[in-house]
Amino acid sequence: MAIISMQKVNIIGFKEDERKILKFLQEKGLMEIIEKEEALSSNELGGKSEEEIDTYIARTSFALEFLDGLEKEKQNFIDAFLGAKIKVSKKKFNKVLRNFKYDKVLNTCERIDDEIARLKEETKNQEKEKELLFSWEDFPYRFSEVGATDKVALIFGTIPQSEKDKLVTKINSKLPCTHVQVIKRDKSEAFLMIVFLKKEENNVNNFLREFNFNERKLSYDFDATAKERIEEIDKEIASLQKRINSQKQKAIELLRYRLDLKCFYDSLLLKRNAEDTKRKFTSTEKVLLISGWIAKDNFRFLKENLAKISQNTALIEVKPRRGEEAPVAIHNKGIITPFEAVTKIYGMPKSTELDPTPFLSFFFILFFGVCLSDAGYGILLMILSRIALRKLDLGLEGKKLIKLLFYGGISTLIVGALFGSWFGASPDIFPESFGAIKTFLLKIKLIDPVKNPVNVLILSLALGILQIIFGIGVSMYGKILKKDYKNALLTDALWIIFIVLLVFFALTNVGVLPSTLQVTSKLLVIISTVGLVLTQGRHQKNIFLKIGSGVLSLYKVIGYLSDTLSYSRLLALGLSTAIIGIVVNMVAQLCRDMIPYVGVVVMALILIGGHLFNLAISSLGSFIHSGRLQFVEFFTKFLEGGGNTFKPFRRETKYIEIGD
Amino acid sequence: MTLGIALAILGAAIAVIACGIGSVKGVGMAGEAAAGVVAEQPEKFGKLLLLQALPGTQGIYGFLGAFWVIMKIQLLSSPIDISTVTGWQILFACLPIAITGLISGIHQGRVVTSGISTVAKRGEESGKMIILAAMVETYAVLGLLASILLINGIPVE
């Protein structure tokens, strides 16, 4: 239950054992490796192998994407949501890598992709040609037969539809030896062929210009009509399509290598990670020095196993440099473990501070319960998280989160029962057939936040004051552990006394405690205030500064007050859950009454959907706000935070989880 | 029906509409940012969805405020004939959640949008981004609380 104590170590060994040591460290994942500032190894690993790894990573990633494009991998929604990895045993992983002919598969993938791209390009070209030919579709002659003779010439082109008739009339009347043939027409334009005598060329041209004729050069000379050619192209496109499909078919055969590719990809990642880490080593030609941090408890294990790798390897404890901060990892036992997930959201404490996890656990789960505050949702949450734990393949952190939700369910059940809220309904309206259960539920119902919000507000604020005092208490505990008795007593203890007295004074004033105590409490508050003024400026040298600082320190009261008010969110979130629940029930009831025949079915659907929605949205809110109260209101009393998370050198993969 | 009831309904309507606008803007801008990230990293969809949902709570708070009014004057069964003054009181009591919901929804959306770009780079930090966004939401929560307590304190009949 605390911060794991860290030990800085050096591993010294022979260069020839480097690979084995590296592999061992990566596999066990126990050591964070740091860079020696006087690192010698400039780039002796040879950039080439690294480049090669990167190229292979890119190629494999491409191949996987390519295969994904062919057939999406089936993954259920939750696995996709969690980004679950495939579990493969170490033995199988190695076997796959040994037997996998990656070059062949990668080359095939790339070849197929190139081929498909080429065929698609070809198809596109054919389609473009076909499109151009469309305007010639009704031209009945083979292009090779069309052409000028000694006396006769041809011209092709388009003309606006409105001008066509005028042109034809004019040519017919003025130039009887000229023939105009319409090849194709659409709404706006007509496509014409005009045959004329060469000697009349100038006249024809003049007419054409007059009517906005737009010439189109004949660029085909093949021995077929446009129609025949289009048919030919269609055939060609179909055959191209067939070839694309056959390539795809070939690619689909590659799908069975998907797992192999993933293993290969991850093995490359591991290799690159190892190469990157290697650069942090200090090495001479023969000797190797690895510097880093390990948990003290792992020292013996590492030492023994390193010795097994090679007799020439040693693990040595080293003293950290002055001001060098150890990385931080936390470890808690049993029921507290899941709460590490909350601490991790905030970040690690400093290596010299306390691990806040055990201290926040009780309040976090209590506040979660007060925010969700519906016994029915509590039960549902417990069931759902149980199922999730059993059925889903969660990582270590995911499991912590789900367990936390399970505890949250318990807490919600208790708080909800006390508030008398069961899926948005109060036990009063339960049917009489519930008998003893109803009586029991009514008996344990202490307070109804919807009817008595003010009482719950007071309860929330009281919980807030309690946690703030507890927070200062933790700070005191931390100082005592460090044997800083003076500050523990004069700062933290004094403040706790002051706050307690202030609350005491307030209670006598509002009549909760007998008013005969008013004078006493007032006196006590004054005495403790004086005490604070006298002590809180003790670090100052000058007597005036001492007093001034002391008075200024009273300003902290404002901070504590605003912290306390922040706990009013407990009521607001609790009410929000309760009211949404009530609304769901009300709408469901309305539907049952208003819709004939199927009303009951609609009601059931609304009840299930509505309450699940409320559970989801309210649990999210409860988790976030309960967390916020820990981070902003609670941690600030005793924790600075900002420690470096312990990041051991280990296997980090993308697709595969390598088992033992 | 009296003018009082009309005023109370206006208050409830303002709460729902203003908070709804706040949430629509917030969730909308967060969704745009998230959609961009999903294009590159579809595996982060879950985290992004969670972040996007955050500015949505204001809309719910506005609805809760309105519902509190509905319950107060028993609009669904037999409305209480409240006086015009009481109607004004309820209308004013709706303003805290209406205004805080509108503005905090938009600003929370902005925080979430920046958070999403952080998550795009460092997926493991999504918890911290959620907490940062929740800091903004505090004020909508307080607005809701104030509205509920105010409405609760208004004498009717």
Side-chain angles (χ1 to χ4, degrees):
Chain A
M1 163 199 120
I3 292 183
I4 297 170
S5 64
M6 291 284 168
Q7 173 66 54
K8 190 171 175 184
V9 291
N10 281 342
I11 296 174
I12 296 180
F14 277 2
K15 186 93 178 161
E16 60 195 43
D17 299 322
E18 187 179 35
R19 265 199 41 222
K20 279 191 219 153
I21 296 173
L22 207 61
K23 206 169 162 213
F24 166 74
L25 289 177
Q26 192 172 35
E27 201 172 301
K28 295 299 170 204
L30 293 172
M31 180 169 175
E32 174 169 339
I33 291 166
I34 53 174
E35 207 163 343
K36 273 275 182 188
E37 50 274 49
E38 67 271 22
L40 294 176
S41 58
S42 49
N43 210 354
E44 58 191 282
L45 336 133
K48 197 162 182 201
S49 74
E50 226 173 315
E51 237 167 68
E52 231 169 46
I53 294 175
D54 280 342
T55 318
Y56 268 121
I57 286 180
R59 286 178 67 194
T60 315
S61 161
F62 164 78
L64 281 166
E65 245 171 65
F66 172 70
L67 294 179
D68 238 20
L70 285 177
E71 178 198 280
K72 264 273 167 221
E73 228 167 338
K74 283 184 204 88
Q75 204 179 22
N76 67 41
F77 179 72
I78 294 168
D79 275 354
F81 197 81
L82 294 169
K85 290 180 186 172
I86 308 163
K87 271 205 179 127
V88 173
S89 75
K90 192 173 161 189
K91 214 168 140 199
K92 193 177 170 202
F93 186 76
N94 285 332
K95 198 178 152 203
V96 165
L97 289 180
R98 251 199 324 278
N99 298 332
F100 182 43
K101 296 198 174 50
Y102 49 88
D103 266 326
K104 201 174 141 208
V105 173
L106 289 179
N107 284 338
T108 318
C109 257
E110 281 154 16
R111 220 180 37 238
I112 292 175
D113 187 61
D114 280 351
E115 187 64 17
I116 289 179
R118 202 183 58 78
L119 291 172
K120 279 191 176 154
E121 184 64 34
E122 180 88 351
T123 312
K124 218 189 250 167
N125 287 340
Q126 297 281 5
E127 268 165 2
K128 223 183 257 164
E129 191 185 343
K130 184 173 148 188
E131 211 167 290
L132 288 176
L133 272 171
F134 263 135
S135 49
W136 297 90
E137 202 183 1
D138 299 327
F139 188 61
Y141 313 106
R142 293 192 174 148
F143 289 108
S144 54
E145 293 169 343
V146 181
T149 62
D150 290 344
K151 302 242 166 84
V152 180
L154 310 135
I155 185 166
F156 296 93
T158 53
I159 184 169
Q161 193 65 255
S162 52
E163 310 273 322
K164 193 209 104 192
D165 287 336
K166 288 185 221 160
L167 176 77
V168 173
T169 328
K170 192 147 187 187
I171 284 180
N172 282 345
S173 62
K174 297 270 170 68
L175 302 164
C177 290
T178 300
H179 169 68
V180 177
Q181 185 173 351
V182 179
I183 300 174
K184 194 168 189 93
R185 68 173 84 193
D186 58 24
K187 268 182 203 139
S188 57
E189 284 184 328
F191 186 35
L192 306 177
M193 173 176 77
I194 298 162
V195 187
F196 53 90
L197 294 172
K198 272 186 177 167
K199 59 183 182 193
E200 289 174 356
E201 187 170 358
N202 280 339
N203 287 346
V204 172
N205 278 341
N206 284 339
F207 284 162
L208 293 181
R209 222 171 288 130
E210 192 183 323
F211 293 103
N212 289 326
F213 183 82
N214 202 353
E215 189 183 348
R216 260 175 70 178
K217 285 265 184 286
L218 175 67
S219 50
Y220 305 110
D221 58 355
F222 42 78
D223 189 21
T225 63
K227 218 173 217 160
E228 282 164 354
R229 176 71 189 146
I230 286 174
E231 272 164 27
E232 215 171 287
I233 288 177
D234 277 340
K235 260 184 222 153
E236 242 164 88
I237 289 178
S239 105
L240 281 170
Q241 198 56 48
K242 223 184 247 163
R243 278 162 73 191
I244 289 178
N245 284 342
S246 89
Q247 289 294 337
K248 277 193 179 156
Q249 210 54 46
K250 259 193 214 164
I252 282 171
E253 274 167 39
L254 290 176
L255 280 173
R256 67 198 154 98
Y257 292 115
R258 192 131 66 169
L259 181 71
D260 303 48
L261 278 168
K262 285 179 175 173
C263 286
F264 181 59
Y265 183 91
D266 277 348
S267 78
L268 290 168
L269 274 192
L270 291 179
K271 216 178 256 173
R272 186 169 69 179
N273 190 227
E275 291 295 323
D276 285 347
T277 307
K278 238 194 226 172
R279 244 179 286 156
K280 294 181 181 168
F281 298 174
T282 311
S283 50
T284 64
E285 214 167 299
K286 291 254 168 72
V287 183
L288 177 73
L289 173 72
I290 305 171
S291 207
W293 294 89
I294 57 167
K296 267 190 186 142
D297 294 343
N298 292 328
F299 188 80
R300 266 195 53 193
F301 173 83
L302 280 173
K303 194 172 175 101
E304 279 164 14
N305 282 280
L306 281 168
K308 263 185 223 158
I309 293 177
S310 157
Q311 290 258 306
N312 302 321
T313 314
L315 182 73
I316 303 163
E317 293 176 40
V318 251
K319 243 178 132 176
R321 274 177 296 116
R322 185 187 282 263
E324 186 177 7
E325 275 190 47
V328 182
I330 51 175
H331 177 71
N332 291 277
K333 288 207 178 88
I335 201 167
I336 304 292
T337 317
F339 292 94
E340 287 175 0
V342 181
T343 307
K344 275 185 185 147
I345 291 176
Y346 182 79
M348 287 295 140
K350 278 215 167 76
S351 57
T352 50
E353 289 179 320
L354 287 169
D355 174 13
T357 313
F359 305 114
L360 68 80
S361 56
F362 172 72
F363 284 106
F364 178 83
I365 218 64
L366 173 67
F367 293 162
F368 182 90
V370 177
C371 289
L372 201 52
S373 74
D374 187 291
Y377 294 168
I379 295 170
L380 208 55
L381 203 56
M382 282 160 73
I383 295 172
L384 289 177
S385 50
R386 267 287 113 168
I387 294 174
L389 270 182
R390 187 98 25 105
K391 298 265 167 183
L392 295 183
D393 191 13
L394 302 154
L396 208 59
E397 293 302 313
K399 260 193 191 132
K400 283 183 190 168
L401 211 62
I402 300 291
K403 271 191 194 152
L404 210 53
L405 287 179
F406 180 74
Y407 295 160
I410 300 174
S411 153
T412 308
L413 173 62
I414 296 169
V415 177
L418 295 178
F419 284 3
S421 177
W422 299 83
F423 289 109
S426 161
D428 314 64
I429 61 165
F430 285 7
E432 284 307 325
S433 54
F434 274 54
I437 300 177
K438 181 174 169 175
T439 334
F440 172 70
L441 291 182
L442 273 176
K443 204 181 253 169
I444 57 170
K445 177 178 172 179
L446 295 181
I447 190 169
D448 187 338
V450 178
K451 293 205 178 88
N452 266 322
V454 178
N455 288 356
V456 180
L457 179 64
I458 292 168
L459 177 74
S460 308
L461 299 182
L463 285 174
I465 293 174
L466 215 61
Q467 197 187 19
I468 289 170
I469 292 176
F470 181 63
I472 305 174
V474 173
S475 161
M476 190 164 89
Y477 170 68
K479 281 175 188 155
I480 289 172
L481 281 186
K482 281 190 212 156
K483 302 206 163 57
D484 183 7
Y485 300 118
K486 190 175 130 197
N487 283 323
L489 202 70
L490 288 181
T491 310
D492 299 327
L494 214 56
W495 268 105
I496 292 176
I497 293 169
F498 179 68
I499 294 173
V500 170
L501 288 175
L502 216 56
V503 174
F504 177 49
F505 173 67
L507 290 181
T508 56
N509 266 329
V510 295
V512 178
L513 290 174
S515 52
T516 43
L517 288 171
Q518 249 180 35
V519 184
T520 331
S521 63
K522 202 181 210 169
L523 205 67
L524 286 171
V525 167
I526 292 171
I527 291 172
S528 56
T529 310
V530 172
L532 281 176
V533 170
L534 288 180
T535 53
Q536 299 307 297
R538 62 186 180 281
H539 54 277
Q540 300 283 5
K541 284 183 186 128
N542 181 316
I543 177 80
F544 296 107
L545 280 178
K546 273 184 201 288
I547 300 289
S549 271
V551 172
L552 266 185
S553 78
L554 291 179
Y555 187 72
K556 261 197 192 164
V557 175
I558 307 285
Y560 290 145
L561 186 70
S562 75
D563 284 349
T564 308
L565 291 177
S566 181
Y567 287 82
S568 63
R569 80 186 63 229
L570 294 178
L571 164 67
L573 289 162
L575 276 179
S576 117
T577 317
I579 302 174
I580 299 176
I582 293 172
V583 171
V584 169
N585 291 343
M586 224 173 205
V587 173
Q589 212 167 3
L590 279 178
C591 284
R592 188 194 55 190
D593 297 343
M594 277 163 38
I595 303 173
Y597 310 119
V598 290
V600 182
V601 180
V602 177
M603 177 179 81
L605 288 177
I606 290 177
L607 283 179
I608 293 170
H611 283 302
L612 280 179
F613 167 77
N614 190 12
L615 177 66
I617 195 102
S618 296
S619 316
L620 176 64
S622 303
F623 195 96
I624 294 170
H625 284 279
S626 181
R628 177 225 136 100
L629 286 175
Q630 312 307 320
F631 303 149
V632 183
E633 273 76 27
F634 183 56
F635 280 10
T636 46
K637 305 292 171 287
F638 63 96
L639 192 78
E640 199 178 321
N644 293 322
T645 310
F646 178 60
K647 285 191 218 76
F649 167 57
R650 60 189 174 97
R651 290 174 179 157
E652 276 166 43
T653 54
K654 186 170 174 188
Y655 300 108
I656 309 285
E657 194 183 316
I658 306 167
D660 291 321
Chain B
M1 283 260 184
T2 58
L3 180 61
I5 291 181
L7 287 170
I9 290 174
L10 178 61
I14 290 175
V16 174
I17 294 167
C19 290
I21 293 173
S23 277
V24 165
K25 284 211 158 197
V27 175
M29 66 178 100
E32 282 171 26
V37 177
V38 169
E40 287 282 319
Q41 306 164 315
E43 71 278 5
K44 286 190 177 155
F45 178 70
K47 286 174 175 163
L48 295 171
L49 187 69
L50 213 61
L51 274 167
Q52 195 203 352
L54 294 180
T57 37
Q58 275 83 349
I60 295 174
Y61 295 155
F63 174 72
L64 293 182
F67 189 72
W68 203 255
V69 174
I70 292 172
M71 292 216 297
K72 180 81 181 173
I73 59 173
Q74 295 170 15
L75 208 54
L76 292 180
S77 45
S78 49
I80 302 170
D81 266 336
I82 54 173
S83 67
T84 310
V85 176
T86 312
W88 280 114
Q89 287 169 346
I90 291 178
L91 172 55
F92 286 138
C94 288
L95 294 185
I97 182 55
I99 296 170
T100 54
L102 170 64
I103 294 173
S104 75
I106 297 167
H107 283 264
Q108 194 172 14
R110 285 201 202 162
V111 176
V112 166
T113 306
S114 317
I116 284 171
S117 61
T118 302
V119 170
K121 288 178 208 127
R122 309 187 51 176
E124 70 278 11
E125 301 298 2
S126 67
K128 295 187 171 71
M129 296 307 117
I130 288 174
I131 295 294
L132 287 183
M135 300 300 288
V136 183
E137 190 171 306
T138 299
Y139 303 97
V141 173
L142 293 179
L144 173 66
L145 196 59
S147 284
I148 285 180
L149 291 176
L150 285 170
I151 296 170
N152 205 51
I154 296 170
V156 290
E157 278 163 311

